[in-house]
Amino acid sequence: MRAPAPTALLLTAALLAGLAGLTACGGGDDGSAAPTAPPDIAATPRDQVREGGTVRWAVDSAPATLNAFQADSDATTDRIAAAVLPALFTLDRAGRPQRNPDYLRSAEVVRHEPAQVVVYRLNPEAVWSDGRPLGVADFRAQWQALNGRDRAFWTARNAGYDRVARVEPGRDAHEIRVTFGTPYADWRSLFTPLYPRSATGGADAFNDVTRRTLKATAGPFTLRTRDARKRTVTLVRDPRWWGDRARLDRLVLTAVPRERRVAALAGGKLDIAGIGRPEVEDIRTSVKRRDASAAALRRIDVRRSLAPAYTQLALNGAEGPLADERVRRAVARAIDRSALAESVLKPLELPAAPPGSHLRLAGQPGYEDNSSALGGQDPAAAQAMLADAGWRTIEAGAGHKDAGNEDARNEDEGKRDNGPGGDGTDEETGERAAEKAGERALPGNAHVLHKDGVPLTLEFVLPEERGTGQLRAVAERITQMLTAVGIRAEIEEVAGEKFFREHVASGDFDLALYSWPATAFPATDARPVFAKPRPAPDGSLTVEQNYTGVGTDRIDQLFEQAAAELDESVARELMSRADARIWAAAGAIPLYQRPELVAVRPGVVNAGAFGFATPRYQDVGFRR
């Protein structure tokens, strides 16, 4: 029985939202050599943006909570927080953290020994909407709420905050000193978003009040209303905002199903909406039509970039045939990732090279292609691995016949490599075995392998909902590639709302396609995704977000070392080594980076497909 940690729910929205839209990348130590796509937002100088107006922005759902640190927060929660609350660090187009001068004059590590100390120097003009300056009380309250020591606070994550020993005032009211009990490389990820003390200073406020409202904000916008019936959240320009004045009067976030968004844009009911490939095709088709109903569609602009997320093939290594690492590696080696990426991405005119890393994406500092630790597509090698694992073909009237060659397997016994892959299979000897027996054992690629009379059949689970047709097409191509090496994958489509909770998180699958967000802080944010599952006191298995069940002690050690390493070059090397071992373990196979597809009405500027970059909501508006 699996017992996913509460933090699993934080990523549910990002995981499921990633299924409708799709993209990809390649290698290079600093990410610069890999194909990337820049943000596509119709970037426009502020003096060319009209003052006033309302932008209506489609979101996937009305927010269940306004507290981004609760388990049921979602992408809408994060968007509201980004517009109304302090972000001490924002991300640039390459996903690099940058000090936000609206809130910080400086922030730096001033001491490493005997303890790491970070000093934040706040912008003296920064105040909450109730007039109170940002200060140490806000930092201390958020740390105490999120450090995990007081179970009265229902927080979904405490990574980083649990390493802090003290939060103290500095030389004056605008300086804060944070002392760490354990070194923390990702300290820039903390206190963003920063909530006011009124939201985090007590368990009742944190658990309940902040779900519904924010008593104080500190951003270019502030929260005006939440309308449950209309499923809208209205943000208005904050008159106390000290930075660049928001160009818009209002920003209205409206929950609209994806299948209704193009019509809402054409009808003037929305201005910005994330869409998927089906909606892109609808808009493209309208260009060729001459009737009046298509005229409004032809004016819609589709902006596109690479999203900070990738779609992967997950292999459940906790039980069944895929518990054998040789079978997992065989599945991975049977798949042509480049062909899959091209099938999804070329029609969208986006880069179509598969990701080479689980931890960073193309263009990010430290990106490195470590996929060679597993190897590229090689059906012969895949067949040899399956033969070594004991999987055989059954031919009509011929009884059991070994899928590999018994003599070849005996010949290779003892020549196994216990390197990073740990699969016990030497690639060269595997290829020789496949040359001897592979094609003969699988005439016409028509036979399914068996072991102890049981066929090698894998349950391939997909969500069934609009916008996942492309995902189904990818899955069907994968099943064809697996059939070629003797593996039968049976696709089962399940209701979208059940896909994650009842199948992925509970371990009820062999194969599944879903997405993970990339991050600027992989040592912290990606650790639970690849952490080795551990037995819980009640006998269940705690998997955190590692739904494949595949992990090693060494991978965990490398993550821990990187999280505590303040030398960025050393930390990147540790992450690269961890990534190579993740590839070798063959629990998750990145297929393509997702695209970010955003449809906007004419005249909307400084908004669209942001990629890694943090939006500047004060610059969003309409062209003069």
Side-chain angles (χ1 to χ4, degrees):
M1 173 70 72
R2 287 188 178 184
T7 46
L9 300 179
L10 276 173
L11 292 172
T12 305
L15 181 152
L16 293 177
L19 297 172
L22 318 162
T23 337
C25 14
D29 288 349
D30 62 359
S32 59
T36 61
D40 185 5
I41 62 171
T44 304
R46 284 177 52 83
D47 62 4
Q48 296 178 27
V49 182
R50 173 162 53 89
E51 180 82 12
T54 298
V55 158
R56 296 152 298 181
W57 203 322
V59 293
D60 291 329
S61 61
T65 177
L66 297 177
N67 187 337
F69 297 103
Q70 292 183 333
D72 55 350
S73 69
D74 56 21
T76 309
T77 306
D78 292 340
R79 179 160 292 166
I80 294 168
V84 307
L85 292 172
L88 303 190
F89 286 86
T90 57
L91 301 183
D92 65 13
R93 61 190 293 170
R96 294 171 297 203
Q98 304 291 326
R99 175 181 60 85
N100 187 343
D102 284 332
Y103 301 101
L104 288 177
R105 291 289 172 85
S106 64
E108 56 186 342
V109 177
V110 299
R111 194 173 71 195
H112 293 77
E113 297 292 344
Q116 176 186 353
V117 176
V118 175
V119 172
Y120 298 88
R121 187 76 185 168
L122 299 179
N123 183 343
E125 297 179 2
V127 296
W128 297 104
S129 55
D130 60 10
R132 186 176 60 84
L134 275 64
V136 67
D138 305 300
F139 281 70
R140 182 182 289 127
Q142 184 151 316
W143 161 59
Q144 291 174 337
L146 299 178
N147 63 23
R149 298 171 197 171
D150 188 343
R151 297 298 181 88
F153 289 87
W154 300 340
T155 173
R157 52 190 166 115
N158 55 35
Y161 293 96
D162 57 353
R163 294 175 180 248
V164 174
R166 296 187 304 278
V167 176
E168 304 169 303
R171 294 173 297 176
D172 57 35
H174 304 298
E175 188 174 280
I176 294 101
R177 292 176 63 88
V178 176
T179 302
F180 290 81
T182 303
Y184 187 49
D186 292 339
W187 60 270
R188 293 177 183 84
S189 67
L190 302 179
F191 305 109
T192 294
L194 179 66
Y195 281 81
R197 179 182 56 189
S198 60
T200 58
D204 288 343
F206 184 92
N207 299 338
D208 297 317
V209 177
T210 306
R211 293 183 63 81
R212 304 184 303 273
T213 189
L214 295 171
K215 292 184 176 181
T217 59
F221 289 89
T222 190
L223 180 66
R224 169 63 63 84
T225 59
R226 294 179 66 187
D227 190 320
R229 184 180 62 83
K230 294 182 179 179
R231 304 181 72 202
T232 63
V233 176
T234 300
L235 310 179
V236 297
R237 184 190 293 122
D238 186 350
R240 285 190 178 273
W241 173 246
W242 58 93
D244 290 335
R245 174 182 168 88
R247 284 304 193 212
L248 292 172
D249 295 322
R250 292 176 204 82
L251 186 59
V252 180
L253 306 179
T254 305
V256 180
R258 283 183 176 262
E259 64 270 20
R260 299 180 186 174
R261 292 180 181 180
V262 171
L265 285 158
K269 297 179 180 179
L270 285 176
D271 299 294
I272 306 173
I275 58 174
R277 184 167 172 179
E279 291 76 30
V280 172
E281 295 301 330
D282 289 345
I283 295 170
R284 282 177 174 171
T285 302
S286 73
V287 174
K288 302 175 183 178
R289 288 161 40 200
R290 298 299 179 185
D291 56 282
S293 63
L297 284 179
R298 289 197 294 269
R299 291 195 295 270
I300 295 173
D301 181 22
V302 177
R303 297 174 187 167
R304 64 196 75 198
S305 185
L306 297 181
Y310 63 86
T311 294
Q312 66 171 12
L313 175 66
L315 292 78
N316 185 355
E319 58 186 5
L322 296 176
D324 187 330
E325 188 176 82
R326 293 168 296 183
V327 180
R328 295 199 305 274
R329 289 172 64 85
V331 168
R333 297 298 297 274
I335 293 171
D336 187 342
R337 297 191 304 127
S338 295
L340 294 174
E342 288 186 6
S343 72
V344 170
L345 304 167
K346 273 197 171 182
L348 296 172
E349 301 173 4
L350 287 165
S357 172
H358 299 79
L359 306 180
R360 301 181 193 275
L361 292 176
Q364 283 189 275
Y367 173 82
E368 188 171 354
D369 189 336
N370 293 301
S371 60
S372 61
L374 175 61
Q377 185 194 29
D378 189 334
Q383 289 174 341
M385 292 175 188
L386 293 169
D388 188 66
W391 291 95
R392 313 168 178 219
T393 61
I394 298 178
E395 296 187 358
H400 287 69
K401 182 176 286 186
D402 210 309
N405 179 286
E406 189 66 34
D407 294 334
R409 288 195 288 114
N410 290 336
E411 175 186 325
D412 292 337
E413 198 70 26
K415 297 181 180 179
R416 297 175 182 171
D417 176 21
N418 292 317
D423 66 343
T425 303
D426 180 82
E427 185 170 308
E428 292 186 5
T429 57
E431 290 176 356
R432 288 200 300 274
E435 289 172 2
K436 293 179 182 179
E439 290 303 317
R440 184 176 70 250
L442 296 171
N445 294 325
H447 292 277
V448 177
L449 303 179
H450 286 66
K451 186 175 184 179
D452 299 326
V454 177
L456 182 46
T457 302
L458 303 177
E459 182 184 23
F460 198 159
V461 180
L462 297 176
E464 184 180 32
E465 56 187 24
R466 177 180 164 83
T468 58
Q470 181 65 67
L471 206 67
R472 171 79 190 211
V474 169
E476 289 175 347
R477 293 198 66 171
I478 290 173
T479 63
Q480 294 167 7
M481 294 171 184
L482 295 180
T483 297
V485 299
I487 301 172
R488 177 191 294 133
E490 298 180 342
I491 294 176
E492 178 187 0
E493 291 185 302
V494 300
E497 67 273 11
K498 296 181 179 179
F499 171 70
F500 179 73
R501 293 181 185 275
E502 297 184 17
H503 291 272
V504 175
S506 66
D508 185 17
F509 72 98
D510 291 313
L511 302 174
L513 289 175
Y514 55 84
S515 296
W516 280 127
T519 171
F521 308 104
T524 296
D525 296 337
R527 185 207 63 79
V529 177
F530 302 105
K532 181 179 178 179
R534 306 286 179 181
D538 62 0
S540 64
L541 195 64
T542 299
V543 302
E544 299 195 53
Q545 283 100 51
N546 187 355
Y547 306 120
T548 69
V550 176
T552 70
D553 292 332
R554 184 56 181 149
I555 291 172
D556 291 354
Q557 292 167 2
L558 289 167
F559 270 101
E560 179 60 30
Q561 291 171 16
E565 179 54 66
L566 299 183
D567 185 322
E568 290 188 10
S569 63
V570 175
R572 288 178 184 174
E573 172 60 23
L574 290 166
M575 283 285 86
S576 182
R577 289 164 57 188
D579 182 50
R581 289 178 177 270
I582 294 167
W583 275 109
I589 313 302
L591 301 179
Y592 40 79
Q593 191 175 343
R594 285 176 43 214
E596 185 177 10
L597 306 171
V598 181
V600 299
R601 279 174 51 80
V604 175
V605 297
N606 296 324
F610 291 97
F612 270 104
T614 301
R616 274 181 57 88
Y617 289 97
Q618 58 267 51
D619 294 348
V620 176
F622 298 93
R623 193 185 307 275
R624 285 187 183 275

